[in-house]
């Protein structure tokens, strides 16, 4: 059996860490099983869906390294959904209801007051043809509900184990709105059937949905996919991320300079039994992926952890992979420069700061009381700087000025880089060169 999975975003926004994690679970699983990955664009909501978001989602997936075997739009398949809806109507499984949303609201309020669950009362099922006609003549358009069996639906979830949803506790789901448009439930099932989807992998907010959808599957097909519902992502404080998702979009993370593989490493490992380490290819991530490693607790996403992992990813990445990234930032090939700064940056664009400090004009900033010391240091700096220069030079300065520790080193760092911390000075001063170092030791603002 070929594994076929789909990732089904709605093009009503860009991808964020939450839906990228769902995409990853599908993609990594498919890759590991040598199956097919389908990108389904859930654009049945034609008002909120835009082409720009669809393009953005595709750009995000490509950037992350998650290509697809096939893509299609639900908005192109309305006639298919209609045809199958007609079949359900013929079978008496899709029935018209004429309540307005205000009436339904009132009904639910009443049920709540009576201490009953707010489940639809199935009044639509009781209507005679004459009553339906009367509603139609009064200008009401029906919405259509799927008739649930009232039985318990069971499945073996790849993450959650044995699951059961008692459909008698659910309202018959509306599949078609009064204006004739489809809600998500039916198109998703129809597509999963037509595309021979073998595994439906999605967030656990869809568990109840799955209970109802399995009944729709049963009504339309003799095959039901295997389900995996993954725990949702929460922030490090344990709270939902919904309010922050805009700032956690791939568009944002990319513009901040985060690496796609660092993002994929983190999102595929949090909430699993694996340790969180950067990986350098998607195929390694897929070979390590298994549903059995995913825990039931929500996965905690922490921006700081992502930055740290990104830094570790860059530090461990071979120089030949770093070179093109630096070139993109306008930094010409310099392995020494990279060796110097690799442990001091968390994102590749921070290399620009150090490049400018080392290769462009920078004015140091020191305390007025360190002025003479820095002037003297400039005089004592040899014109040829080698690996030992820093040690020898600072040893001489130590004796001559009777300074040690912070008093000795900080003014030099401040005059030479303009900053209080950064890469190893013994190496930095080699790249800086003697002339520039001397000039900075004499030309600072104090
Ligand atoms: N468009 C749906 C969503 O983003 C897809 C859910 C599913 O995978 O079935 O929630």
């Amino acid at each position: 059996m070929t594994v076929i999975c789909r990732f089904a975003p709605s093009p009503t926004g860009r991808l964020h860490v939450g839906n990228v994690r769902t995409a990853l679970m599908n993609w990594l699983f498919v890759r590991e099983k040598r199956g097919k990955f389908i990108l389904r664009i859930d654009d049945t909501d034609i008002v909120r869906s835009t082409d720009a978001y669809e393009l953005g989602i595709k750009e995000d997936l490509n950037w992350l390294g998650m290509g697809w075997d096939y893509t299609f739009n639900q908005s192109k398949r309305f006639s298919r959904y209609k045809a199958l809806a007609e079949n359900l109507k013929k079978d008496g499984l899709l029935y018209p209801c004429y309540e307005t949303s205000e009436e339904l609201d009132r009904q639910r309020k009443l049920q709540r007051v009576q201490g009953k669950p707010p489940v639809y009362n199935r009044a639509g099922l009781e209507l005679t043809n004459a009553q339906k006609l009367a509603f139609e003549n009064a200008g009401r358009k029906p919405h259509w509900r799927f008739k649930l069996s009232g039985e318990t639906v069971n499945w073996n979830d790849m993450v959650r184990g044995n699951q059961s949803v008692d459909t008698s506790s659910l309202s018959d789901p509306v599949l078609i709105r009064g204006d004739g448009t489809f809600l998500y439930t039916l198109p998703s099932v129809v597509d999963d059937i037509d595309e021979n989807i073998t595994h439906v992998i999605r967030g656990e907010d869809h568990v109840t949905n799955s209970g109802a959808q399995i009944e729709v599957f049963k009504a339309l097909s003799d095959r039901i996919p295997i389900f995996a519902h993954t725990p949702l992502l929460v922030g490090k404080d344990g709270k939902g991320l919904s309010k922050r998702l805009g700032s956690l979009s791939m568009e944002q993370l990319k513009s901040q300079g985060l690496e796609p593989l660092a993002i994929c490493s983190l999102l595929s490992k949090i909430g699993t039994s694996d340790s969180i380490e950067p990986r350098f290819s998607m195929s390694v991530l897929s070979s390590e992926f298994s549903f059995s490693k995913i825990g039931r607790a929500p996965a905690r996403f922490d921006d700081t952890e992502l930055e740290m992992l990104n830094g570790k990813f860059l530090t461990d990445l071979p120089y030949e992979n770093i070179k093109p990234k630096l070139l993109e930032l306008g930094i010409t090939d310099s392995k020494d420069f990279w060796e110097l700064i690799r442990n001091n940056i968390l994102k590749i664009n921070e290399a620009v700061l150090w490049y400018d400090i080392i290769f462009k004009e920078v004015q140091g900033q020191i305390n007025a009381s360190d002025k003479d010391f820095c002037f003297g240091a400039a005089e004592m700096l040899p014109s040829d700087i080698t690996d030992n220069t820093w040690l020898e030079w600072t040893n001489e300065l130590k004796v001559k000025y009777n300074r040690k520790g912070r008093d000795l080193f900080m003014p030099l760092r401040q005059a030479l880089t303009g900053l209080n911390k950064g890469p190893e000075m013994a190496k930095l001063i080699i790249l800086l060169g003697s002339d520039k170092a001397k000039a900075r030791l004499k030309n600072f603002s104090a």
Side-chain angles (χ1 to χ4, degrees):
M1 176 188 77
T2 307
V3 164
I4 307 176
C5 293
R6 84 304 193 270
F7 171 53
S10 303
T12 52
R14 291 288 286 258
L15 295 185
H16 51 68
V17 289
N19 45 28
V20 165
R21 185 157 172 271
T22 302
L24 265 172
M25 302 281 161
N26 279 282
W27 197 93
L28 297 174
F29 178 66
V30 160
R31 277 291 295 265
E32 202 254 322
K33 299 283 178 213
R34 300 184 188 287
K36 284 207 178 86
F37 177 72
I38 294 178
L39 172 61
R40 186 181 89 198
I41 302 294
D42 280 9
D43 53 356
T44 51
D45 182 345
I46 43 179
V47 178
R48 287 176 61 229
S49 302
T50 71
D51 289 348
Y53 281 135
E54 181 181 332
L55 280 174
I57 287 171
K58 290 177 175 169
E59 190 185 313
D60 292 339
L61 284 175
N62 277 322
W63 178 67
L64 291 162
M66 284 189 267
W68 49 92
D69 295 290
Y70 174 61
T71 181
F72 68 95
N73 292 56
Q74 288 194 320
S75 58
K76 301 271 167 14
R77 288 176 45 81
F78 287 135
S79 57
R80 175 70 179 149
Y81 307 143
K82 271 191 195 129
L84 289 186
E86 287 311 314
N87 290 350
L88 292 176
K89 286 180 192 173
K90 270 186 224 127
D91 295 343
L93 288 170
L94 193 59
Y95 63 95
C97 302
Y98 291 86
E99 296 87 349
T100 61
S101 48
E102 292 77 29
E103 284 167 351
L104 290 171
D105 249 7
R106 240 176 289 137
Q107 237 174 62
R108 278 190 292 263
K109 275 187 196 131
L110 189 66
Q111 285 167 318
R112 225 166 283 140
V113 173
Q114 293 169 338
K116 291 184 190 155
V119 174
Y120 176 60
N121 64 12
R122 289 190 157 174
L125 270 179
E126 312 298 324
L127 296 174
T128 62
N129 283 343
Q131 284 170 318
K132 290 179 198 170
L133 199 64
F135 276 127
E136 305 262 347
N137 287 339
R140 288 206 189 189
K141 296 255 178 291
H143 54 274
W144 295 80
R145 289 186 188 262
F146 179 79
K147 190 177 158 202
L148 293 169
S149 68
E151 287 163 16
T152 298
V153 172
N154 298 297
W155 74 93
N156 191 2
D157 195 283
M158 283 198 292
V159 177
R160 300 165 62 88
N162 286 331
Q163 293 295 290
S164 55
V165 170
D166 173 10
T167 63
S168 70
S169 68
L170 305 178
S171 294
D172 287 340
V174 177
L175 300 191
I176 306 174
R177 296 184 186 91
D179 64 3
T181 58
F182 289 94
L183 277 99
Y184 148 84
T185 313
L186 180 67
S188 181
V189 171
V190 171
D191 291 339
D192 287 344
I193 293 169
D194 289 352
E195 300 300 327
N196 294 314
I197 298 301
T198 57
H199 298 75
V200 170
I201 302 163
R202 57 190 180 188
E204 67 183 12
D205 49 333
H206 282 286
V207 169
T208 311
N209 227 345
S210 292
Q213 279 188 330
I214 286 174
E215 295 223 319
V216 182
F217 271 108
K218 282 183 182 159
L220 294 174
S221 161
D222 50 12
R223 211 182 40 76
I224 298 163
I226 295 166
F227 286 85
H229 292 91
T230 59
L232 299 183
L233 270 194
V234 294
K236 72 166 183 251
D237 54 3
K239 291 196 185 128
L241 286 171
S242 58
K243 290 203 186 80
R244 296 187 46 218
L245 286 176
S247 65
L248 296 173
S249 70
M250 291 308 111
E251 198 182 12
Q252 287 286 325
L253 298 184
K254 184 180 177 184
S255 75
Q256 285 165 27
L258 288 153
E259 301 293 327
L261 271 169
I263 297 172
C264 290
S265 296
L266 184 78
L267 291 177
S268 67
K269 299 291 182 191
I270 46 175
T272 76
S273 51
D274 279 348
S275 61
I276 295 172
E277 293 291 333
R279 295 288 181 251
F280 300 95
S281 75
M282 292 294 273
S283 43
V284 172
L285 284 177
S286 72
S287 69
E288 292 172 349
F289 179 80
S290 163
F291 282 106
S292 64
K293 294 179 180 174
I294 301 177
R296 289 287 301 270
R300 281 177 193 254
F301 173 82
D302 175 358
D303 325 42
T304 319
E305 190 173 23
L306 176 57
E307 288 204 353
M308 300 301 284
L309 195 73
N310 198 74
K312 196 160 188 302
F313 173 83
L314 291 175
T315 308
D316 295 348
L317 200 63
Y319 179 66
E320 68 255 29
N321 299 98
I322 291 288
K323 206 161 117 177
K325 292 181 192 292
L326 292 179
L327 274 174
E328 225 170 274
L329 295 169
I331 298 176
T332 40
D333 185 12
S334 169
K335 195 165 186 209
D336 291 342
F337 168 69
W338 179 248
E339 290 300 325
L340 173 71
I341 65 151
R342 61 194 284 172
N343 291 315
N344 290 83
I345 63 170
L346 295 179
K347 296 177 207 151
I348 193 75
N349 49 19
E350 291 163 12
V352 174
L353 170 85
W354 289 108
Y355 188 80
D356 288 352
I357 287 176
I358 295 166
F359 298 106
K360 298 198 175 157
E361 287 314 313
V362 160
Q363 197 174 42
Q365 186 94 38
I366 61 164
N367 292 327
S369 55
D370 292 324
K371 230 166 137 176
D372 293 343
F373 169 66
C374 286
F375 262 92
E379 297 302 325
M380 283 165 68
L381 185 68
S383 53
D384 195 16
I385 298 186
T386 65
D387 283 352
N388 297 328
T389 305
W390 178 264
L391 186 66
E392 290 164 5
W393 179 53
T394 52
N395 272 339
E396 286 167 25
L397 290 170
K398 186 177 179 175
V399 176
K400 175 149 185 211
Y401 289 92
N402 195 24
R403 285 180 178 237
K404 57 180 192 247
R406 199 184 150 83
D407 271 355
L408 172 65
F409 295 111
M410 189 53 86
L412 300 176
R413 182 180 282 285
Q414 287 170 334
L416 293 173
T417 68
L419 295 175
N420 288 344
K421 58 179 195 221
E424 201 185 328
M425 288 305 292
K427 290 193 180 132
L428 189 145
I429 201 167
I430 300 175
L431 288 188
L432 206 55
S434 184
D435 291 348
K436 208 180 255 173
K438 280 186 184 170
R440 286 188 190 178
L441 287 163
K442 289 181 179 170
N443 177 23
F444 40 73
S445 59

